[in-house]
Amino acid sequence: MSYFDAASAAPLHPVARQALQASLDEGWADPARLYREGRRARLLLDAAREATAEAVGCRPDELVFTSSGTRAVHSGIAGALAGRRRVGRHLIVSAVEHSSVLHSAEVFEAAGGSVSEVPVLRTGAVTAESYENALRADTALACLQSANHEVGTEQPVASVAEVCRRAGVPLLVDAAQSLGWGRVEGDWSLLTASAHKWGGPSGVGLLVVRKGVRFAPQGPVDERESGRAAGFENIPAVVAAAASLRAVRAEAALEAARLRELTERIRARVARSVPDVEVVGDADRRLPGIVTFSCLYVDGETLLHELDRAGFSVSSGSSCTSSTLTPSHVLKAMGVLSEGNVRVSLPPGTPAEEVDRFLDVLPGAVAAVREQLGAPAPETVVRDDVLVVDALGKRCPIPVIELAKVIGDVPVGGRIRVLSDDEAARLDIPAWCQMRAQEYVGEEPADQGSAYVVRRLS
């Protein structure tokens, strides 16, 4: 089985396994105690903090360990907003942030705060100008990921940090995806990360708060981790996280170059060998090892099952997942196809032979799913010189498939009205139009669902 979902969780690094096992015998005691076992535990915790701070590029007393990357995000945002409540109650986030950031923003807004969501380009990147335009006199905090978790696009953190610094607004950076590859550049104020993204154990997160940043920890007071992370420290896991971060950093330059070559191979081969496919995300400014593409007329979850049977573990940003049945907010913000979306994220050490085998299997898997999901004959009728396609009750990608089947039945300049009650159609039909060089006119109300109007250009 080839595991190609390192962006979700990287396999445990051998150094992390060794450090975890070694520290189980020494790091079990309370590091706050002064007896011998406590002192040993404290030495391990302090050494791990110093090593991690060096890798991050901060002072050891600016960094605390949390129970997860999500907890670090929640605590970081809540503490920064509370610390600057006299400035105002305005928060800025990008439209493609991790759900942990967006959930924090929802809670803040529900409590009376205001949130500005910065749009992204079709590549998934923000611009510094968009953050500058979103800043207000009452802005308490801005948030920006260092790189996107679904498409791998790197964000201009240094430029955005400079804009925020000039305005006196702290910037919180979610560095979960990128920290294993290197430090986050720029004059950021807070940073979060998660160890299982770089091959450390799960259940260890990082929260860095620079000196001088106003920060008020929320929740009951706890004496551990400077009062910013409650609960007994999991010292063996923290030690393993720090050891694995140093190990992957030592290998990062060579491995990044190798994985970039493999992802370039995927990008080129997929575009050549799979019809009606779009590779999404920035072509150049992206993380090593991550490549994402969308296939027209394919259900993402079905394609993942097909690839799983072929021996490949990949993930998807598809809308029709069993857990949510809603479009990926990242793909929606980018304006790209949400159906048939595949994310390949290669863990360090992935053999080139496994990538080549994946590229040999993929075209057949896509073709099989397209045949399996072959749409029924669309129900069409001409009303006022407009071809109406009734796709009510049919989940995407069926509405898009039916649109593609009848686009040739109208003359150039003619219009098609697609009726659909699937939320994903609101994203997928405009994306299809852009991919196939047709004009998306807009959405109109309908008796059931919505009507999506398309004009044939070619």
Side-chain angles (χ1 to χ4, degrees), residues 7-8 37 60 75 117 121 152 175 180 191 233 246 254 256 259 317 367 392-393 399 401 420:
S8 292
E37 294 86 355
S75 299
E117 193 172 273
L121 306 173
L191 180 141
E233 298 93 343
R246 294 186 67 175
L254 290 177
L259 290 184
L392 293 169
I401 293 175
S420 176

Side-chain angles (χ1 to χ4, degrees), residues 173-210:
V173 177
D174 171 15
Q177 288 296 336
S178 72
L179 193 60
W181 297 108
R183 292 182 178 181
V184 177
E185 300 299 326
D187 193 14
W188 48 266
S189 302
L190 301 97
L191 180 141
T192 64
S194 187
H196 75 280
K197 300 291 187 179
W198 66 68
S202 59
V204 179
L206 308 180
L207 171 60
V208 179
V209 182
R210 295 282 201 192

